[in-house]
Amino acid sequence: MAQWRSTAEFRFKKKHGKQSSYHCTSVSVGDNWIKIPKCKPIRAKVHREIVGKVKSITLSRTLTGKYFASILADDTQEQPKQIDNLEANQVVGVDMGITDLAITSTGHKTGNPRFLKKAQRNLKRKQQALSRCKKGSKGRHKARLLVAKAHERVAFARNDFQHKLSKQLIDENQAVIVETLKVKNMLKNKRLARSIADAGWHSLITKLEYKAKQEGKHLVKIDQWFASSKTCSVCDLKQEKMPLRIRSWECSCGAIHDRDINAARNIKKQGILKLKAEGLSVSADGGLRKSGRLSVAA
């Protein structure tokens, strides 16, 4: 007997969604063109020299009607080996936040640009104009493109900022330690959901991960249940409660902590323990840098 699935199990591809196609045979790239099977050479702006043998090409079309080609090539170069002997002053702990996007164990704070919040009024105006348009009309199609372009500008600005920040962190350190964040669960907080989504913690950690792999460096994710904010980084005494409104606090040992910097230092300590447990050598700390604010151009 034939078994039928409910309609809820089927996922239909949206007409106006992102479209993509993958090609791994009969593909080639020139100075200003790409070639895929059953098509004549397609004019393209190749912004980077392709080194090695082209293995595949993925074509994609964005919601705004722009076409991109992602090219995979084998350059025959071996991936750099990961560093085995690390220096503690070249290991940095990073605490993710909302007011400040990234707080390091050296005391540097990178402010959160809040790209979505800055574009909120413009997005609201365009989305209201879209909702007033009749479905299926040319006016609605134009209004939809304006909304898509506004969202695209926000995404591009956030990606650009995160690429620069992640590269700076990887270039300056041999290992970067971060928390394991369950962003999907955190988005259930109605008051902070929009701010958390705007921060883009997951995409920043993803960029850190592949950049570290390319450079032969380490990205370490510590346990999500580790109480980095409630633990004193000097005496390791854990406080019973630490609500979000408390931004600085004093431990019974006399140490006065900035909540976020203290959390980053605890994250670094846990990361070093994890690196040593994996059999890596971490030398003694050569001292901390002076605290300040790290400025990254968006």
Side-chain angles (χ1 to χ4, degrees), residues 42 89 115 212 278 286 297:
I42 304 169
N89 60 357
F115 295 108
E278 293 173 359

Side-chain angles (χ1 to χ4, degrees), residues 5-279:
R5 293 183 295 174
S6 64
T7 54
E9 295 181 31
F10 291 95
R11 289 175 180 251
F12 296 97
K13 204 166 188 177
K14 292 183 179 180
K15 179 181 178 182
H16 299 297
K18 184 177 179 180
Q19 310 292 322
S20 63
S21 63
Y22 173 79
H23 307 274
C24 59
T25 58
S26 303
V27 294
S28 56
V29 180
D31 293 333
N32 59 355
W33 56 268
I34 61 172
K35 178 72 173 66
I36 60 174
K38 299 182 181 180
C39 288
K40 294 180 179 179
I42 304 169
R43 284 194 304 169
K45 184 178 180 182
V46 182
H47 66 89
R48 186 180 302 174
E49 183 182 359
I50 307 299
V51 180
K53 183 181 178 181
V54 177
K55 305 293 286 186
S56 66
I57 296 178
T58 301
L59 300 179
S60 59
R61 181 183 181 275
T62 65
L63 295 173
T64 57
K66 296 177 183 177
Y67 291 87
F68 293 90
S70 178
I71 301 165
L72 176 65
D74 183 5
D75 59 4
T76 68
Q77 295 182 6
E78 293 185 3
Q79 187 175 330
K81 294 182 179 179
Q82 284 194 319
I83 302 170
D84 294 331
N85 299 316
L86 298 95
E87 298 178 11
N89 60 357
Q90 290 292 304
V91 177
V92 67
V94 180
D95 181 48
M96 303 290 182
I98 294 178
T99 302
D100 295 301
L101 180 63
I103 304 94
T104 68
S105 53
T106 59
H108 291 89
K109 294 184 178 183
T110 303
N112 185 2
R114 298 178 184 268
F115 295 108
L116 182 61
K117 186 177 180 180
K118 290 178 181 177
Q120 199 63 42
R121 291 182 64 184
N122 181 40
L123 284 168
K124 182 179 179 181
R125 186 172 64 251
K126 286 181 169 59
Q127 286 168 340
Q128 286 176 339
L130 173 62
S131 66
R132 290 193 295 266
C133 294
K134 184 180 178 181
K135 289 186 178 180
S137 65
K138 291 183 179 179
R140 185 177 179 84
H141 176 69
K142 291 179 181 179
R144 185 189 62 79
L145 281 178
L146 290 176
V147 173
K149 286 179 180 178
H151 279 288
E152 188 178 67
R153 282 194 294 270
V154 172
F156 283 170
R158 185 187 294 112
N159 266 328
D160 179 69
F161 178 82
Q162 290 185 351
H163 275 298
K164 291 174 180 176
L165 175 59
S166 58
K167 189 173 192 313
Q168 185 171 355
L169 288 169
I170 296 299
D171 287 348
E172 292 180 352
N173 300 281
Q174 295 174 334
V176 178
I177 321 296
V178 297
E179 290 180 292
T180 302
L181 299 173
K182 297 293 184 181
V183 178
K184 186 176 180 180
N185 293 337
M186 298 171 75
L187 289 174
K188 294 177 182 178
N189 186 328
K190 295 181 180 179
R191 293 184 178 181
L192 299 176
R194 181 176 292 176
S195 297
I196 292 171
D198 193 10
W201 296 330
H202 177 74
S203 58
L204 176 58
I205 292 174
T206 301
K207 292 176 178 65
L208 285 168
E209 192 167 16
Y210 83 78
K211 283 180 171 64
K213 191 175 181 181
Q214 286 177 343
E215 298 294 328
K217 298 182 179 181
H218 300 267
L219 178 75
V220 181
K221 299 178 183 179
I222 65 170
D223 184 9
Q224 62 174 318
W225 304 114
F226 174 62
S228 58
S229 298
K230 297 194 290 185
T231 305
C232 175
S233 58
V234 177
C235 67
D236 293 332
L237 179 66
K238 183 179 176 181
Q239 306 296 314
E240 291 185 5
K241 295 182 179 180
M242 188 64 63
L244 283 173
R245 67 176 181 274
I246 297 177
R247 308 315 303 171
S248 62
W249 55 281
E250 183 177 359
C251 181
S252 57
C253 69
I256 300 175
H257 297 295
D258 176 288
R259 178 194 180 101
D260 299 326
I261 296 175
N262 175 68
R265 288 174 179 167
N266 284 323
I267 289 169
K268 175 181 175 178
K269 289 168 69 176
Q270 284 294 115
I272 290 176
L273 290 175
K274 193 169 182 178
L275 287 167
K276 289 182 176 179
E278 293 173 359

